[in-house]
Amino acid sequence: MTKIYINGKLFDQHEARVSVYDHGLLYGDGVFEGMRVYSGKVFRLKEHIDRLYESARHIWLEIPLSREQLMEDTIATVKANHKQDGYIRLVVTRGSGSLGLDPRKCSDPQIIIIVDDITMYPPELYENGLEIVTASTIRNHHNAVNPRVKSLNYLNNILAKIEAIRAGCLEAIMLNHNGEVAECTGDNIFLVKKGVLRTPPIDAGILDGITRNAVIELARAASIPVQEWTLTRHDVYAADECFLTGTAAEVIPVVKCDGRTIGTGKPGAITKQLRERFFQLARQ
Ligand code: PXG
């Protein structure tokens, strides 16, 4: 039975409850993190916790625990669930209040930790590569809900995900308000062109992905040049290789976009190398 952490206590999965008046449910008012456990260890826990507190700061949400305590509680919840490899969803809601947007009516933020499994894509796609499309739904403008905030309101991404599914794909590229490539609905995007690794900069309006940062570090350590560069759809179509990164997706090759074959139509050598190095890093 999965044990769910809520505000310092563990509950059986079927006993774990939040109020229907919680503004996390009513308005998507809250923040979250998705992390992975590899070989019993939480990958980049501190980075995830730091990003959670930054997201919370941005939305004026005070998390009633120190970062150190939340890290300890996260590790304890993984242990209570005897998970060696799995997925952690850490959610902080604004808490229950009255109807109406006013967050001052909410006094009990709910800190929830779920430790479970996640499978984003079927295993064969990691071998053969994914086909993606460009969504017509653009990424939120950075002066609306800034994409750097990992908020509980994911409708922007869900609308693009539905477009992908309706097009017979599992993932979609989201452009920013300038028509530049931003990211996918739940992953960051990388291209390889003439041996150079390119990914959109944070100011393209993207989530500052923790897997993205790990892959950039791994590439630099392997002497692969990396550029945070403005990318357009043309760059995707004309790339030698393409892959996506994310906590849930890990490193997954992309071989087709908007019906165009990318490179040879097979996962590329640099993609495969970085995927292997990523797992070495995660499991070390
Ligand atoms: N962009 C977006 C919009 C994301 O939501 C990433 C990039 C990758 O970031 P990280 O830090 O994970 O490398 C994400 C992360 C899920 C799920 O349940 C989604 C994410 C992470 C974990 C689970 O669909 N997205």
Side-chain angles (χ1 to χ4, degrees):
M1 175 82 74
T2 304
K3 299 269 185 216
I4 313 285
Y5 170 106
I6 305 179
N7 297 337
K9 292 200 191 90
L10 288 175
F11 297 87
D12 284 340
Q13 186 177 336
H14 302 291
E15 309 293 323
R17 302 231 186 301
V18 289
S19 165
V20 293
Y21 286 92
D22 194 303
H23 281 207
L25 173 69
L26 290 176
Y27 301 112
D29 188 354
V31 293
F32 78 100
E33 277 299 319
M35 306 175 235
R36 264 191 197 264
V37 187
Y38 292 102
S39 313
K41 193 164 163 261
V42 184
F43 183 69
R44 305 231 156 157
L45 174 59
K46 186 173 184 306
E47 284 86 340
H48 280 286
I49 297 291
D50 284 345
R51 188 170 67 184
L52 181 80
Y53 277 78
E54 286 176 11
S55 294
R57 179 70 65 86
H58 188 122
I59 71 160
W60 280 281
L61 172 59
E62 182 109 27
I63 300 177
L65 274 187
S66 68
R67 293 181 194 213
E68 291 68 30
Q69 186 66 52
L70 191 49
M71 283 198 271
E72 270 178 36
D73 290 4
T74 304
I75 293 166
T77 309
V78 172
K79 290 230 167 77
N81 282 286
H82 310 289
K83 272 277 179 208
Q84 279 297 304
D85 291 280
Y87 174 72
I88 305 166
R89 167 60 56 96
L90 207 174
V91 180
V92 186
T93 74
R94 185 80 68 182
S96 63
S98 50
L99 297 177
L101 297 181
D102 191 345
R104 290 175 305 178
K105 305 280 165 60
C106 306
S107 53
D108 60 342
Q110 301 291 297
I111 305 178
I112 301 162
I113 307 172
I114 305 168
V115 180
D116 208 320
D117 300 306
I118 192 165
T119 311
M120 276 280 267
Y121 304 112
E124 60 271 17
L125 290 182
Y126 288 89
E127 297 306 317
N128 303 330
L130 190 64
E131 175 173 357
I132 61 175
V133 287
T134 308
S136 68
T137 306
I138 64 164
R139 196 73 178 91
N140 281 335
H141 190 282
H142 56 261
N143 288 330
V145 181
N146 192 310
R148 293 189 67 172
V149 177
K150 209 162 159 61
S151 88
L152 288 184
N153 197 317
Y154 249 55
L155 266 179
N156 179 221
N157 309 56
I158 290 165
L159 292 181
K161 182 85 171 180
I162 291 169
E163 288 189 54
I165 292 163
R166 291 177 64 89
C169 294
L170 293 176
E171 192 45 290
I173 292 181
M174 301 184 76
L175 306 175
N176 65 18
H177 62 284
N178 292 322
E180 299 154 358
V181 171
E183 58 182 337
C184 290
T185 69
D187 348 84
N188 293 111
I189 186 165
F190 284 83
L191 302 178
V192 178
K193 183 71 176 175
K194 296 189 183 5
V196 178
L197 191 61
R198 295 204 174 114
T199 194
I202 300 303
D203 64 14
I206 63 173
L207 185 75
D208 188 358
I210 285 161
T211 321
R212 173 185 181 275
N213 288 331
V215 165
I216 290 173
E217 285 166 26
L218 289 170
R220 293 206 165 117
S223 302
I224 299 166
V226 186
Q227 295 173 337
E228 294 183 66
W229 203 269
T230 300
L231 299 172
T232 67
R233 279 189 291 171
H234 177 81
D235 296 304
V236 180
Y237 304 153
D240 300 325
E241 301 182 28
C242 175
F243 63 87
L244 312 181
T245 64
T247 296
E250 300 174 310
V251 177
I252 185 158
V254 174
V255 292
K256 230 175 186 193
C257 179
D258 298 333
R260 279 85 157 176
T261 298
I262 298 174
T264 62
K266 297 220 159 52
I270 292 181
T271 303
K272 283 190 194 160
Q273 185 194 347
L274 289 170
R275 183 172 156 74
E276 274 165 31
R277 284 178 190 264
F278 175 74
F279 284 120
Q280 280 167 11
L281 175 71
R283 298 193 189 284
Q284 84 189 0

